[in-house]
Each structure stands twice: as structure tokens, then as C-alpha cells.
Amino acid sequence: EKGTYPHFMLKEIDEQPFVMRKIINEYQTEDSELKLDKNVRQAMKDCDRIYIIAAGTSYHAGLVGKAFIEKLANIPVEVHIASEFSYNMPLLSVKPLFIFISQSGETADSRAVLVRIKEMGHPALTITNVPGSTLSREADYTLNLYAGPEIAVASTKAYTAQIAVLAILAVDTAKAKCLELDFDPMQELAIVANAMEVLTDQKETIEELARDYLSKTRNAFFIGRSTDYYVCMEAALKLKEISYIQAEGFAGGELKHGTIALIEEGTPVIAISTQENVNYSIRGNVQEVVARGANDMVISMKGLEQDTDAFVIPQVHELLTPLVSVVPMQLLAYYAALHRDCDVDKPRNLAKSVTVE
Ligand code: M6R
């Protein structure tokens, strides 16, 4: 039920801090140890390469998950769009582990890959919001997202739940492998939950930004580097699917390789900067587009902000910034859709779960 909310999407955006806290509780023992199925732990330890398979928003979460698993657990990871995997099946490693990320657990494109790799005899883990779903039943192991039902077609709380669970999985694996670790995921996720609350309390500011930058435009660009780039891809998808604005998320460094040709007087360019090592470069990209007439909106993290930034997000651990920077992006898409009189919860031509290939 929507309760007092006008749309499920807004309710689900607001639920994200609670989902973070739920995940912390569900994946923690009473003495604050990580609580994970021991078979999952073993499968992670045993594999020599991970193949993440997903679609849409879940694919974007997978990109962030790759960074966690590689940096923390020291296992190479490939992230594949489910529908493309069959055409371009990579050369598999000797001991692959497949991770399927799916809110619904019913995505046909992902299931087709699952069926195929099970025929080949490879192990599979599904990370899903629906434990009894097809992808969950047909995989060897399941991790639950505990996000509660997600009704709006545009995925919001499932995305942040996926990233949180992937962070916990990466840390658990690092611990199981006795790797050195300077990162307490539960403590950091608790900080994230509070930061999310600060952001969901700033709806008016974001609504104004949506009105000023996005209510009339035909297109919009999101630029970022490193993990900010992955959030840009998610931000663009969110905007496309509910406001029908043609949007693209791309890597700041790629601008000069073609996309900058699209910048005209007034083109909205939204830049995300949450990583110290890319802050300087992404701001250089902003200057390049502004010099060509772009209407820039910089969203930065506290500590990296400049006076002209449109919005500053609270500081969280640098690995977890996507969990926080995505919230204003979700709200921007939401308010852009409202200003354009779009059906926020049921955008045209889309279904909540895509059960055909
Ligand atoms: O249920 P899944 O996570 O497998 O769904 C994958 C995509 O269909 C889904 O994320 C889609 O892109 C959303 N509508 C995005 O908001």
C-alpha cells in the first residue's frame, strides 16, 4: 500500500534507509559477526573468477559489486548484460562462479543464462528480492535483499539493497580468505542509512533542480568517473524510463571522444563527484561542457564540494558512495517525471518483470 504517498516510487525511495538497517540486522549475528550461508562463503572461496549476470538497474548494481569484490576479496569479476551473454560467451575460467542479480528473480534473459551454465555444470548464486522466484529456485544458493516488495516499475530500493548485500558478500569473502581489511561494512552501512535520510529530507531542493533543469529539456547527460560513472548510467536509466527524456550516462574521459559534439546551449549536464581521485578531472569535464553552453549541475560529496555545486551529499566511505549519490538521482528522475505529467509508477511500454527474452 502507498499510504500517504502519491506514488510507490517515492515511498520506495524513502524506504531506503530502513532497508539498509534491515540488511544490517539480517546479515549480522548477535555478536556482530557477519552472518552468511556457509555454502555461499565456500563457493566464493572456491572460485577463481566471478561472472555477474543481470539486466537494467541490476546490471548497474553489478558494476559496483565488481569493484567491491575485486578490491576487497581479490577475485576477478566480469559483469555481463544477461541478454548479450549467449552471443558473446567469454572464455570461462577453470572454477567460475555465476552471480545472478535480479530484483524480481524472474527476468527471462538472466534465466536463459542460468539454464545454460547449469547445463555446463557451473555453480550459481542468485541475489534477489524474491527468495521463492525462478532464479532463486534454480540456482544453488540465494542471498535475500530484504528490501520488501518493490511495486514501482523504476527500481530504487532494490538497487541500493543489491549494492549493500554485494558489499557484505565481498567483505565476508575477504574475511574467509583471511585478507587484510580496513572496512567494517555494517558500521559504514549504518552511516549510509543516516546519509540517505538526510537526502530524502531535501526533496524540495531536488524538486526545484528537476524543474529548472529537466522540465523542458529533450535530452540530458550524466557524467562521472570511476564508480560515479556507474551511478551516472543508473541515473540516466531512471530518467529515461519514467520521464521519457533522452538521457545518457557516460564516463567523463569519453566526452572528448565523441559525446561532447552533442552539447548545445542549455543542454543539461549533471556531473557526480564523490571520489577524491577523480574530482579534479571530472570538474575539468564540467568546464569543457560549460564552455560549449551546457547547463551544468554538479552533485558532489562533502569534503570535495565547491561553492557553485548544485547539491552536496553527506560524506560516507568512498566504496559506498553509490548508495548515497543515487538518491538525489532517483528523486531528480521522479520530479522530472511529475513536472512532465508522466505516469511515474507505470511508465509506458515497460513491465515490472520482463519475463520474455
Ligand atoms: O527484476 P530484475 O532486477 O531482474 O529486473 C531487471 C530490469 O528489468 C530492471 O532493473 C529494469 O531495468 C528497471 N525497470 C529499472 O528501473
Side-chain angles (χ1 to χ4, degrees):
E1 268 313 297
K2 285 199 293 243
T4 54
Y5 281 94
H7 299 98
F8 280 107
M9 184 181 178
L10 194 62
K11 174 171 178 271
E12 289 161 7
I13 290 172
D14 269 2
E15 281 170 354
Q16 292 177 108
F18 305 101
V19 174
M20 290 299 112
R21 295 183 187 121
K22 171 90 176 151
I23 288 172
I24 294 172
N25 285 336
E26 294 290 343
Y27 283 98
Q28 193 163 236
T29 64
E30 276 173 14
D31 19 319
S32 301
E33 293 296 326
L34 293 189
K35 188 169 79 189
L36 227 82
D37 176 354
K38 64 176 187 328
N39 296 318
V40 173
R41 191 169 282 163
Q42 196 59 43
M44 291 290 287
K45 260 179 94 173
D46 287 347
C47 72
D48 64 357
R49 183 174 284 259
I50 288 171
Y51 298 83
I52 293 181
I53 310 289
T57 287
S58 299
Y59 170 74
H60 297 153
L63 295 171
V64 180
K66 169 185 163 78
F68 294 155
I69 297 171
E70 291 193 334
K71 282 187 187 142
L72 301 170
N74 205 23
I75 305 170
V77 181
E78 293 179 23
V79 192
H80 291 270
I81 293 174
S83 61
E84 281 292 307
F85 187 83
S86 316
Y87 312 119
N88 299 309
M89 167 102 82
L91 282 176
L92 298 182
S93 65
V94 180
K95 291 190 285 179
L97 170 65
F98 282 79
I99 300 184
F100 293 84
I101 306 179
S102 174
Q103 188 284 132
S104 63
E106 300 296 344
T107 297
D109 289 327
S110 300
R111 174 157 190 257
V113 180
L114 175 58
V115 168
R116 181 131 178 239
I117 64 104
K118 285 315 298 170
E119 279 167 8
M120 295 166 76
H122 300 308
L125 159 66
T126 291
I127 300 181
T128 183
N129 205 21
V130 187
S133 58
T134 309
L135 285 173
S136 159
R137 281 186 278 110
E138 296 182 359
D140 303 279
Y141 325 104
T142 297
L143 290 180
N144 191 354
L145 294 174
Y146 297 107
E150 192 182 65
I151 309 293
V153 165
S155 183
T156 53
K157 61 178 179 171
Y159 171 79
T160 43
Q162 286 161 349
I163 291 178
V165 170
L166 284 161
I168 292 169
L169 177 65
V171 170
D172 187 81
T173 308
K175 287 191 168 168
K177 291 172 75 177
C178 300
L179 299 177
E180 241 183 72
L181 206 62
D182 179 21
F183 176 68
D184 177 342
M186 299 319 196
Q187 214 173 326
E188 300 299 342
L189 286 172
I191 296 171
V192 162
N194 294 341
M196 284 173 158
E197 241 153 28
V198 170
L199 293 171
T200 52
D201 281 347
Q202 294 183 61
K203 294 193 181 73
E204 276 174 28
T205 313
I206 299 172
E207 177 168 12
E208 273 170 35
L209 289 171
R211 192 193 54 218
D212 295 349
Y213 284 79
L214 301 171
S215 59
K216 298 266 157 25
T217 190
R218 281 192 313 135
N219 56 6
F221 297 101
F222 295 85
I223 59 172
R225 289 173 180 248
S226 183
T227 43
D228 293 335
Y229 163 47
Y230 304 148
V231 178
C232 285
M233 292 164 78
E234 172 58 10
L237 175 60
K238 226 67 319 162
L239 191 64
K240 277 188 265 205
E241 68 178 326
I242 61 168
S243 77
Y244 317 142
I245 296 171
Q246 188 181 3
E248 198 182 338
F250 59 94
E254 280 291 287
L255 266 172
K256 56 184 176 299
H257 298 291
T259 318
I260 200 160
L262 291 167
I263 306 298
E264 300 176 338
E265 197 59 42
T267 307
V269 176
I270 299 154
I272 305 181
S273 182
T274 70
Q275 309 285 313
E276 198 170 0
N277 62 340
V278 299
N279 190 33
Y280 178 80
S281 311
I282 198 69
R283 288 181 185 282
N285 294 138
V286 172
Q287 282 172 6
E288 286 156 17
V289 294
V290 167
R292 274 114 187 141
N295 196 10
D296 68 309
M297 181 200 302
V298 178
I299 316 265
S300 59
M301 194 171 72
K302 186 106 194 97
L304 302 175
E305 79 271 29
Q306 292 184 3
D307 290 346
T308 49
D309 292 353
F311 197 81
V312 180
I313 61 171
Q315 199 167 25
V316 297
H317 191 286
E318 63 169 5
L319 281 174
L320 299 184
T321 60
L323 289 171
V324 179
S325 60
V326 79
V327 177
M329 299 295 138
Q330 297 165 341
L331 287 166
L332 263 185
Y334 173 78
Y335 287 114
L338 275 194
H339 282 299
R340 298 167 81 100
D341 284 329
C342 299
D343 185 344
V344 171
D345 282 340
K346 289 204 179 69
R348 67 187 181 203
N349 310 341
L350 290 171
K352 180 64 181 160
S353 3
V354 185
T355 51
V356 287
E357 278 180 58

